[in-house]
Amino acid sequence: MQAIIKAGTPHGAVQAPPSKSVVHREIICSALAAGKSTISGAAMSKDIEATIRAVRALGAEISQEKEKDSGGLALGVRGIGSDIESCGSPEKNVSGDLPVLYCGESGSTLRFMIPVALLSGGGVFICAPRLIERGISVYEEAFLPLGINISIHKDTSEILVRGRLRPGAFEIPGDVSSQFVSGLLFALPLLEGDSRIFVRPPVESRPYIDITVDILKKAGIELDICDDTASGGGITFEIPGQQKYRARHWKAEGDWSNGAFLLGMNTLAKYGPAGAAQYDGSRVDRDESERAGGSPGSDRRRPPVQVSGLDPDSCQGDKVCVELLEAAGRWQAGDEPIGISGCPDLGPVLMAVGAACGGCVLMGTARLRIKESDRAQAMASELAKFGIRVDVFEDSVIVEPGCLAAPDEVLDGHNDHRIVMSLALLASITGGRIDGCQAVSKSWPGFWDVFRGLGMDVEIVNASGAAQATQ
């Protein structure tokens, strides 16, 4: 499908969507607990659907109900608990002995659930081709001494994992993906014996590990952390075995990763082609209070997009988007590069802001190439259509200063939700068409409805040109 966007100025009040990163983890912890857990304030997306399918394949029961007050989604999860050793759904693979877990394009689902499935003998993971390309080499190396068999079938987009996870010492590289660390942290507490994970430096995306640890502790799981990252070392986790997850009520929190696109609208209004505005574009409005920015009594006008539901005290690392968007918006030659090794998902929106506001330099970009697309190259290709040159290096990106122009060509979303949303920000300035706009459903199916709700003129059409509903 294609989004046809007319230039305009987004304005209005909007609630940030719930955090996909947090809800993934809450679903898994609930599925591993005995009894009934609830998750309020959730929202459905393709990635969350994938995790729900995966825990159902292992025997968890999940119900969904619309919340009357908030309009959000309430999930009821009846967990597996001590039945994990014999879990599994009726749907098996062709050999009849392993559950089938459909992951789609969700790297979180795949990498979180592989160790969990190995508690009961393994599983067959059905993935989108791009997810197969992104790989699970970290697990292949870590599980080799345990005799766990991992076979990847690119022709059928299947990963077959067979064997039993055993307690022991695991060494994981910290510069590939934090998802491998989180996956082990979910599973190891349920084993008979104690385990240790050493995360080799450099440890990137550390905040995502912190989210996992925070949610594990809330679910009753104990672990000790020896953190030597301040001196350039790694992280050691000591995980006692024979633990049990505790059923509980969870409340989903707002998503800083997707909230960055909303806040980016304010950055563009403040520093973009229209010139500096007379408000503080980095301000976040939460619960009708002044907690997240702007001192009480300030005479600055409020930013055009009022964003609620984002907690400055969250464990989410992408809350740094407030500072980084400001840095990208006001960046000038000679300024320090903007480091994103701990928050690579912010790369595309920062590149978009830099393109509109006079250029910027990003560092720590190496892992952008192993996301849903090669994000640095994808953004470079699309920004060229706006007349902006981008130089992509091994671990850095330079967005050159230039004059943002309306694209003559149709923009390509590269089947990547964050690329599509970043291009939408720029198209709000110039107008434009984005092919593959449905990719937003991976994390935020309601994005286009929110975009319209902020006063933007956007039409979604299919390949034949017929208008489509967006949700």
Side-chain angles (χ1 to χ4, degrees), residues 17-19 22-23 26 218 251-256 309 311 314-316:
S19 169
V22 170
V23 174
E26 291 173 346
K218 290 175 180 175
K251 182 173 175 57
E253 62 180 70
D255 184 15
W256 281 98
D311 182 2
S314 169
C315 288
Q316 295 176 58

Side-chain angles (χ1 to χ4, degrees), residues 346-407:
L346 298 179
V349 69
L350 293 172
M351 291 177 70
V353 167
C357 300
C360 69
V361 177
L362 305 182
M363 292 290 294
T365 61
R367 286 183 300 135
L368 294 183
R369 69 175 58 90
I370 57 171
K371 295 293 185 174
E372 284 82 344
S373 68
D374 183 338
R375 285 180 171 164
Q377 290 291 355
M379 284 298 294
S381 174
E382 300 314 306
L383 290 179
K385 298 175 184 178
F386 289 94
I388 302 298
R389 176 181 168 181
V390 177
D391 297 315
V392 178
F393 302 98
E394 181 69 22
D395 197 35
S396 64
V397 169
I398 299 175
V399 180
E400 300 286 356
C403 182
L404 198 70

Side-chain angles (χ1 to χ4, degrees), residues 21 25 178 182 205-212 257 318 342 344-345:
S21 297
R25 290 161 171 81
S178 63
S182 291
S205 291
R206 169 63 187 272
Y208 287 98
I209 300 175
D210 292 340
I211 295 173
T212 301
S257 301
D318 283 357
D345 284 346

Side-chain angles (χ1 to χ4, degrees), residues 232-288:
I235 313 172
T236 300
F237 295 92
E238 300 285 352
I239 305 110
Q242 301 186 54
Q243 298 193 62
K244 293 184 178 181
Y245 281 83
R246 184 172 61 237
R248 54 162 290 165
H249 172 70
W250 304 91
K251 182 173 175 57
E253 62 180 70
D255 184 15
W256 281 98
S257 301
N258 279 339
F261 296 101
L262 301 172
L263 299 176
M265 297 174 185
N266 292 332
T267 309
L268 294 182
K270 184 177 182 182
Y271 295 112
Q278 300 301 312
Y279 48 76
D280 179 0
S282 67
R283 178 174 171 179
V284 179
D285 178 34
R286 186 180 77 172
D287 296 334
E288 308 295 325

Side-chain angles (χ1 to χ4, degrees), residues 158-449:
E158 292 181 358
I159 299 175
L160 189 150
V161 181
R162 187 188 296 275
R164 292 270 180 174
L165 191 63
R166 298 196 303 272
F170 299 85
E171 186 169 323
I172 302 293
D175 59 351
V176 179
S177 172
S178 63
Q179 292 169 349
F180 296 106
V181 180
S182 291
L184 282 170
L185 288 173
F186 287 126
L188 293 178
L190 298 176
L191 298 177
E192 285 298 313
D194 301 345
S195 296
R196 172 183 297 140
I197 304 172
F198 175 64
V199 185
R200 293 197 305 267
V203 181
E204 299 180 346
S205 291
R206 169 63 187 272
Y208 287 98
I209 300 175
D210 292 340
I211 295 173
T212 301
V213 170
D214 178 64
I215 291 175
L216 284 171
K217 289 182 176 180
K218 290 175 180 175
I221 297 300
E222 298 179 359
L223 67 164
D224 293 323
I225 305 172
C226 179
D227 190 344
D228 195 29
T229 53
S231 59
I235 313 172
T236 300
F237 295 92
E238 300 285 352
I239 305 110
Q242 301 186 54
Q243 298 193 62
K244 293 184 178 181
Y245 281 83
R246 184 172 61 237
R248 54 162 290 165
H249 172 70
W250 304 91
K251 182 173 175 57
E253 62 180 70
D255 184 15
W256 281 98
S257 301
N258 279 339
F261 296 101
L262 301 172
L263 299 176
M265 297 174 185
N266 292 332
T267 309
L268 294 182
K270 184 177 182 182
Y271 295 112
Q278 300 301 312
Y279 48 76
D280 179 0
S282 67
R283 178 174 171 179
V284 179
D285 178 34
R286 186 180 77 172
D287 296 334
E288 308 295 325
S289 75
E290 298 286 342
R291 284 191 61 186
S295 59
S298 170
D299 60 358
R300 289 182 172 182
R301 290 193 293 116
R302 294 165 73 85
V305 179
Q306 301 294 311
V307 185
S308 60
L310 293 175
D311 182 2
D313 298 325
S314 169
C315 288
Q316 295 176 58
D318 283 357
K319 67 183 180 182
V320 75
C321 69
V322 174
E323 291 80 13
L324 298 192
L325 287 166
E326 178 78 6
R330 63 190 304 172
W331 197 91
Q332 295 181 350
D335 287 354
E336 288 291 320
I338 301 169
I340 64 166
S341 63
C343 51
D345 284 346
L346 298 179
V349 69
L350 293 172
M351 291 177 70
V353 167
C357 300
C360 69
V361 177
L362 305 182
M363 292 290 294
T365 61
R367 286 183 300 135
L368 294 183
R369 69 175 58 90
I370 57 171
K371 295 293 185 174
E372 284 82 344
S373 68
D374 183 338
R375 285 180 171 164
Q377 290 291 355
M379 284 298 294
S381 174
E382 300 314 306
L383 290 179
K385 298 175 184 178
F386 289 94
I388 302 298
R389 176 181 168 181
V390 177
D391 297 315
V392 178
F393 302 98
E394 181 69 22
D395 197 35
S396 64
V397 169
I398 299 175
V399 180
E400 300 286 356
C403 182
L404 198 70
D408 293 326
E409 301 176 59
V410 174
L411 301 166
D412 184 352
H414 294 265
N415 195 34
D416 189 324
H417 54 136
R418 302 201 192 279
I419 300 294
V420 171
M421 289 187 273
S422 298
L423 297 178
L425 293 194
L426 295 179
S428 72
I429 299 172
T430 64
R433 294 170 173 253
I434 305 173
D435 267 346
C437 67
Q438 70 276 12
V440 298
S441 63
K442 186 176 195 295
S443 65
W444 193 0
F447 174 78
W448 295 115
D449 290 330

Side-chain angles (χ1 to χ4, degrees), residues 92-101 113-125 136 139-140 143-153 158-166:
K92 305 289 185 179
N93 70 312
V94 290
S95 62
D97 62 343
L98 293 177
V100 179
L101 295 82
M113 293 302 297
I114 283 176
V116 173
L118 286 170
L119 294 170
S120 57
V124 179
F125 295 81
I136 55 167
Y139 283 151
E140 292 177 273
F143 295 155
L144 188 61
L146 300 179
I148 291 171
N149 178 266
I150 298 177
S151 55
I152 300 174
H153 306 276
E158 292 181 358
I159 299 175
L160 189 150
V161 181
R162 187 188 296 275
R164 292 270 180 174
L165 191 63
R166 298 196 303 272

